Amino acid sequence: MCLAVPAKIKSIEGAYGDVLYLGVVQRVNIELIESPRIGDYILVHAGFAIEKIDKDGYVELQRIMSYLLEVCDGYE
């Protein structure tokens, strides 16, 4: 199963951006999205930004991801 996580671009250096998702800052490749800018909301999969999303989508996906992490805590 593939999973993309919602993130927000915090800084950009060349083909890479530092993004924030669920309280974690991670460096990802941003070359696959058109005109990436600091503050953009994106979906990240396997270290690559794959799509821009709007703020409402970002907030909703963050809510869902937080909920899933909470309910699945300890599940094996």
Side-chain angles (χ1 to χ4, degrees):
M1 177 172 85
C2 296
L3 179 66
V5 294
K8 182 177 182 180
I9 299 175
K10 302 305 273 179
S11 66
I12 295 174
E13 186 176 324
Y16 293 88
D18 288 333
V19 302
L20 177 67
Y21 59 92
L22 298 175
V24 176
V25 175
Q26 183 71 41
R27 182 160 285 238
V28 300
N29 186 296
I30 55 174
E31 287 185 309
L32 297 178
I33 58 174
E34 187 176 334
S35 305
R37 289 185 288 228
I38 294 171
D40 282 349
Y41 298 99
I42 58 173
L43 290 177
V44 176
H45 172 68
F48 290 87
I50 58 171
E51 183 178 344
K52 286 186 185 182
I53 58 175
D54 63 22
K55 184 176 182 178
D56 291 338
Y58 170 80
V59 170
E60 180 66 7
L61 289 171
Q62 284 279 343
R63 186 189 67 73
I64 292 167
M65 294 291 292
S66 294
Y67 173 76
L68 289 173
L69 288 171
E70 181 181 317
V71 230
C72 294
D73 186 34
Y75 179 76
E76 295 187 27

